[in-house]
Amino acid sequence: MEISKTFTPEGIENKWYAQWLAYKCFKSTPDHRTPYTIVIPPPNVTGVLHMGHMLNNTIQDVLIRRARMKGFNACWVPGTDHASIATEAKVVHLLREKGIKKSDLSREEFLAHAWEWKEKYGGIILEQLKKLGASCDWDRTRFTMEADLSDAVTDVFIDLYNKGLIYRGLRMINWDPSAKTTLSNEEVIYTEEQNNMYYIKYMLSDGSGHLPVATVRPETIPGDVAVCVNPNDERYQHLIGKTVIVPLVNREVPIIADEYVDIEFGTGALKITPAHDINDYEISKKHNLPVIDCLTESGTISEEAGIFVGLDRFEARKLARKQLEADGVLYKTEQITNQIGRSERTNAIVEPRLSLQWFLNMRNFMDKNPEVLSDVMDDKLKFYPPKFKNTYKHWIDNIKDWCISRQLWWGQRIPAWFDESGNIAVCKTEKEAQEILKTTKVRQEDDVVDTWFSSWLWPISVFDGFKDPENADINYYYPTNDLVTAPEIMFFWVMRMIMAGYEWKGEKPFKNVYYTGIVRDKMRRKMSKSLGNSPDPLDLIAKYGADGVRMGMLMCTPAGNDILFDESIVEQGRNFSNKIWNAFRLVKSWEIDGTIENPSTDIAIVWFQNRFNEVINQIDDDFSKFRLNEAMMAVYKLIWDDFCASYLEMVKPVFGQPIDKKSFDATIDFFDQILRLLSPFMPFIAEEIWQNIETRPEGVFLCTSTFPENKPTQNTVLEEGNKVRLLISEVRNLRSQKQISPKTSIKIQLDPSLGISTDWNGILKKMLNLDELLFSNEDDKNWHVSKLDTSRFWADLGDNIYVDEEISKLTKDLAYQEGFKTSVLKKLANEKFVQNAPKAVLDIEHQKLADAGSRIAIINEQLEKLKA
RNA sequence: GGGAGUUUAGCUCAGCUGGUUUAGAGCACCUGCCUUACAAGCAGGGGGUCACUGGUUCGAACCCAGUAAUUCCCACCA
């Protein structure tokens, strides 16, 4: 049967993935083996696979597949996150397109729509991951809003409330007056805009003059409760403690002092409007000032303002300006550029607004669980790369309370009930609440919890660790091994999972955290839908194969560094697939003759086995440091350079000739070993070839076979192999320089002191097309001497010596050697160096000098010969 | 404004405890080849003031200080 010249992945990938699933290769249940667990960072249900997911999940799959082959009970738990804000926004948008307004629906009706949407589109991303080859245990697929996981959220909320860690408090939030909803920070878009800065005189109550105040929001003047100056500001020091009259409303407010005020900015006097500015609010709390909220939820002026009531905030601004001018207190107007936050969805200018929210007291939580910080700092829970430990520490040191409530419907509703007089019961059911509050007239809190308040439980709740703390799964799989995620959610997610782990399991949720970089385009822009600079991962898989894409992603992603994506990197992956495929074609084409023997390949077999062992050891080391790119590169070079370019060329029979049984068996065995090594990285092509180099029983797969074990290496064989490869390269170089066809056979004389044994004779003769290979250090004047810096050999090239070219090359070599010698001499001439450097270093320098000297001598000798 | 990082070849990165490093890899580039597994390939080649300035040291890409550029996180200015 003819094997195609290029590797065609499509059919092969689907075939093996289906088989792996059919034979439950990725299924995990607790048993006697050591577990190796990864929980997937659950992608948003609204999500569509992007390059970031590709990178992240490729890494997880490599880790889990290798662990599986190493004999661990590997368990990769997949799932999705309900993503409150993103999903709700999407559903609202879709409903609007159908002409349905959210405000016309009841909570239950809206949630019905949302669930319908989730069932229809929610699993797309997981299906896409299968195309990548992700070896998740799909029977364990979880969703953060399914019953058990939501129960867990409710339980921990109640638990934390009872522990006194959850409280209600006022907080400044981003309010969209157009949509009448809260916005998360991510939904606020800041842009630079032109605005007027108004300079206003606030008259002192005692009539002794005025205090100048600058503001861009004169319509909030009715909300002023103080004017604040810096205590070190000499201009205003004498005014502290006096009072001023607030313009427009003629209210008397104090002049207070606070270091927060920037002396240089504006007039150096800041009006304090606690209801409409977060900093003002903080200051007002510090100084026990009242709060006057002069805006309504739709952005119009409230009754409390006492002026312009009912007007839109921008209309009020215009009127305020006119009024201030008329009153003669507006003395200057200036154009300034400042940052304005607008709602991503409605483009309305966002209004800072005070509202009652639920909080988790983070400081107390941390004090209760000091391991959250100490384990990371002490490397009991390792971060890769470790530089993120600093960021982590900085966050925890400056931690703020976590606002866990969201004014949405899609999510876990906060388990709190109120009676008519506002008493609170935090409990699981309405019935319990009625009992606690001693009334049937109870009303549940409308808000849901922040999405992260469910995902921080993920490593526990996917194993039903809350429903059933004695569950065999949680006790077996927890703590998990690795978490692979983006550094941008270290604070939102990673830290909070660690917190949850200690609080409810008394133990860290994972042993290692591997932070990946952000996938950017060649211009260093983040890949995003709106920029349209992100390729569709599925198209890439179709074009280059899943294995090619996986390899491309792995090769260029050192831990924590961004990856600059360009199609050429996956092209390299595809080319590599093709290279392996062609090695397979070659081996498949061999005809075996059991009656012949070819002892000349013995040394190649010994050499490659050692080279293989060396790479296995290196890869082990790379994995222990999470350097997957290095590991991938090592496999790439082993296969391309060592196996294909060297080993196969060494054992390959002359065209048309059969191969001996021993060489063939060894080659098949090496191929098998190599594919085992490759399988975690490029599982599809590895499986396909592995299933075809030998007949395998039904249901036996490479991906569930064993990974090659570490073995010691014999360094002498490896060194000899390196010399042989250098020699081959130099002879080829010589041929190419002298334009001697590879078909023309030549004679070579090797200096025995090189250390290349006669075991290599057969291989050298075949690969270099030699008709004679002599071992001698006798200089034959008629022969050509090779490049001298790496090895010494003589080649009989007949009449093919080009003297000028050779002289120029040797002269260049000579200059390098002389320069090198000078630098060493300089070092040795330094008395302090000779006195202070350790003996070993001195010996090395002397050796360098001697080597350079002898090389120079040989070059000179050779030059003379050529010039003669 | 506060914090953390980064700066080595055209690009992406290695370079461990300062000493076989007048610095390596992959890709890209240039030259020559369709040589019976592979042109998605083979053979060969060029390319770097290790950001800059100073210091420590017998010795610095590596340690220290300063400068510059740059990235990320947090907070955001009346």
Side-chain angles (χ1 to χ4, degrees), chain A residues 54 253 283 322-323 360 434 493 570 603 618 654 783 805 823 841:
Chain A
M54 298 284 280
V253 299
I283 292 172
K322 274 187 192 154
Q323 187 64 49
L360 176 61
Q434 288 170 346
W493 194 45
V570 288
I603 188 72
Q618 194 207 318
V654 177
W783 288 27
E805 194 184 279
S823 80
V841 175

Side-chain angles (χ1 to χ4, degrees), chain A residues 181-402:
Chain A
T181 180
T182 342
L183 299 175
S184 69
N185 290 339
E186 293 74 34
E187 292 169 301
V188 180
I189 314 289
Y190 286 92
T191 49
E192 294 226 316
E193 292 183 27
Q194 292 283 317
N195 269 297
N196 286 324
M197 171 92 96
Y198 302 98
Y199 289 80
I200 301 153
K201 292 177 189 170
Y202 278 46
M203 306 311 289
L204 290 161
S205 320
D206 60 12
S208 63
H210 72 270
L211 188 58
V213 170
T215 180
V216 288
R217 303 200 57 189
E219 75 279 13
T220 66
I221 286 174
D224 288 356
V225 295
V227 175
C228 189
V229 297
N230 192 301
N232 303 318
D233 193 335
E234 286 172 9
R235 293 172 296 177
Y236 306 132
Q237 265 168 357
H238 65 284
L239 297 176
I240 297 165
K242 290 193 174 184
T243 57
V244 287
I245 305 293
V246 176
L248 303 176
V249 290
N250 299 323
R251 196 152 30 75
E252 194 171 332
V253 299
I255 297 170
I256 58 169
D258 198 293
E259 303 255 343
Y260 169 78
V261 178
D262 181 352
I263 298 174
E264 305 293 320
F265 196 91
T267 63
L270 169 66
K271 73 187 196 70
I272 301 298
T273 323
H276 306 291
D277 183 282
I278 180 67
N279 297 303
D280 291 11
Y281 178 65
E282 293 300 327
I283 292 172
S284 76
K285 266 205 302 200
K286 215 159 121 188
H287 296 268
N288 286 317
L289 296 165
V291 174
I292 301 170
D293 189 347
C294 48
L295 287 172
T296 65
E297 59 170 26
S298 53
T300 58
I301 306 299
S302 71
E303 293 282 344
E304 267 190 272
I307 187 170
F308 311 135
V309 176
L311 290 176
D312 178 75
R313 51 190 167 145
F314 300 110
E315 199 56 38
R317 183 177 299 177
K318 284 181 200 157
L319 288 180
R321 177 190 176 154
K322 274 187 192 154
Q323 187 64 49
L324 291 164
E325 251 170 356
D327 294 346
V329 289
L330 178 69
Y331 68 95
K332 190 169 124 188
T333 307
E334 186 181 46
Q335 276 259 315
I336 57 148
T337 310
N338 61 353
Q339 297 265 317
I340 297 291
R342 285 179 181 272
S343 165
E344 189 181 21
R345 276 188 273 156
T346 63
N347 201 38
I349 291 179
V350 168
E351 195 64 52
R353 189 158 201 264
L354 280 173
S355 73
L356 206 52
Q357 304 284 335
W358 293 86
F359 289 88
L360 176 61
N361 187 323
M362 294 293 257
R363 191 70 271 159
N364 289 355
F365 198 113
M366 290 296 176
D367 289 347
K368 198 163 168 269
N369 295 287
E371 301 96 331
V372 174
L373 178 59
S374 66
D375 273 15
V376 171
M377 297 318 286
D378 300 345
D379 287 329
K380 285 177 190 158
L381 193 168
K382 280 194 177 151
F383 278 14
Y384 298 89
K387 68 177 179 187
F388 288 114
K389 281 160 68 177
N390 294 330
T391 317
Y392 185 78
K393 182 173 193 307
H394 186 249
W395 270 342
I396 291 186
D397 289 345
N398 295 288
I399 203 145
K400 288 188 180 149
D401 287 353
W402 177 11

